[in-house]
Amino acid sequence: MRHNRKIKEPIIAITKGMTEGHSLEKALDMLPVDKIIKKGDKVIITPNGVKDKKPKDGVVSGPKTLKKLIQYVKQREPSEIYIAFVDTPGFFAGMIRQVIKQKYIHVVLSMDAELEEAYSVGRRNPAVPLFAGFEKEDKRKILTVFPTADYMVCSIECSLVQKEAIRQELRLAMQERFHYHYAVAGLPFILWNIPFYQENHYTCSSYVARVLEEYGVCHWEKHFSLVTPKDFMEKFGRKRIFEGSLRELVEMSVQEETVCAVEKIA
């Protein structure tokens, strides 16, 4: 028997729609489903079939309603994406650090906590600061150029559908990465707090801010072009799952890969 109920009082939503499934989905969207179903929860669906009636009578749940409800719950299966905050040395990094007044000055969006599939708007080659755009991050290559770099990785809750949609967006951008450029002209507008956007021109934080807001993962109180790494730190910094040197992060990945290889051999 459940002793601690998540919902203390009944929550009711009433809708009207052209079909049974559409009405159900509208009603569910009015409920705080994201607060009720959490990661790792087991969801038990109990259709109302206590009487020998047909679904059209409105007394029992029909198969279409049940199917729609199952699809709805599956689509909202909790998942996570990850933000990596990066602290690297260098003159340009130092300038950004002075402006935003924090250690971490670069933002990376990753599909996994180990940053194996991670993307950002930044240097195309870690050793060459003059050429920047959209790239897939290679933490091992970055380590060779910045052996003293520090990283902090934070988790962001989202649905599995949101995560896969974002993954496809990032992979498509990677295919067209030379169409994306660093928003150098937009930097003064951030200081002036004036929204400024040129097509396919982003800072590291403005690109990630746009993607997360576009797919409903979070909402910003200002235009995405004005979002800085400091805003990300204030919003997601408490959900830290790793903080340390990049070398530590790479070594942890190597250890995990070794364990996996041993397990396969065994």
Side-chain angles (χ1 to χ4, degrees), residues 25 31 40 52 71 74 78 90 104 138 210 217 241 245 256:
E25 190 166 13
L31 303 178
D52 185 18
Q71 289 174 340
K74 281 187 173 182
Y104 297 102
D138 185 338
R210 181 192 65 77
V217 175
I241 61 173
S245 69
E256 290 178 3

Side-chain angles (χ1 to χ4, degrees), residues 23-256:
S23 295
L24 175 64
E25 190 166 13
K26 283 175 61 180
L28 289 170
D29 284 339
M30 295 170 64
L31 303 178
V33 177
D34 292 337
K35 295 181 180 180
I36 299 171
I37 302 176
K38 297 294 184 181
K39 186 176 182 179
D41 283 354
K42 293 181 179 179
V43 180
I44 299 175
I45 298 174
T46 55
N48 182 16
V50 295
K51 291 186 177 181
D52 185 18
K53 297 285 185 177
K54 295 181 179 180
K56 66 178 182 180
D57 295 327
V59 178
V60 298
S61 303
K64 292 182 179 179
T65 300
L66 184 58
K67 181 180 180 181
K68 190 68 177 180
L69 179 58
I70 293 172
Q71 289 174 340
Y72 188 93
V73 172
K74 281 187 173 182
Q75 286 176 353
R76 281 149 183 81
E77 178 184 349
S79 187
E80 289 179 325
I81 52 179
Y82 303 87
I83 291 290
F85 296 93
V86 184
D87 170 35
T88 54
F91 176 75
F92 189 62
M95 290 178 59
I96 298 176
R97 198 173 288 110
Q98 287 295 318
V99 172
I100 66 176
K101 306 298 183 184
Q102 74 174 30
K103 175 181 178 179
Y104 297 102
I105 49 84
H106 184 56
V107 174
V108 178
L109 182 57
S110 180
M111 296 294 100
D112 57 88
E114 296 76 26
L115 309 186
E116 294 296 338
E117 187 180 0
Y119 305 86
S120 76
V121 174
R123 298 184 182 192
R124 296 201 182 278
N125 184 321
V128 183
L130 297 178
F131 301 101
F134 188 89
E135 287 294 329
K136 185 176 181 180
E137 297 268 319
D138 185 338
K139 61 185 178 183
R140 296 165 184 83
K141 189 174 181 179
I142 295 171
L143 180 61
T144 62
V145 179
F146 300 111
T148 61
D150 287 332
Y151 272 58
M152 185 170 87
V153 182
C154 300
S155 63
I156 302 176
E157 290 184 1
C158 65
S159 71
L160 187 61
V161 172
Q162 288 172 320
K163 181 172 183 174
E164 291 308 311
I166 291 172
R167 189 197 304 274
Q168 293 305 312
E169 166 96 7
L170 296 174
R171 289 179 175 178
L172 179 60
M174 185 60 188
Q175 292 175 12
E176 302 176 346
R177 63 187 180 279
F178 294 114
H179 294 162
Y180 290 84
H181 308 281
Y182 196 85
V184 177
L187 295 179
F189 290 87
I190 297 175
L191 296 175
W192 301 329
N193 198 34
I194 301 174
F196 178 83
Y197 174 64
Q198 290 176 282
E199 185 177 3
N200 289 344
H201 285 68
Y202 299 94
T203 62
C204 62
S205 50
S206 68
Y207 177 82
V208 178
R210 181 192 65 77
V211 170
L212 295 185
E213 186 162 50
E214 187 173 301
Y215 288 96
V217 175
C218 69
H219 173 69
W220 305 97
E221 297 299 329
K222 52 185 171 183
H223 191 264
F224 67 81
S225 66
L226 298 176
V227 176
T228 69
K230 187 172 184 178
D231 295 309
F232 274 92
M233 182 65 73
E234 292 174 352
K235 202 173 191 70
F236 302 115
R238 296 183 185 88
K239 298 180 180 180
R240 178 179 56 197
I241 61 173
F242 170 84
E243 185 170 19
S245 69
L246 176 57
R247 187 174 300 279
E248 289 178 77
L249 189 62
V250 171
E251 289 175 351
M252 287 168 55
S253 297
V254 171
Q255 290 173 0
E256 290 178 3

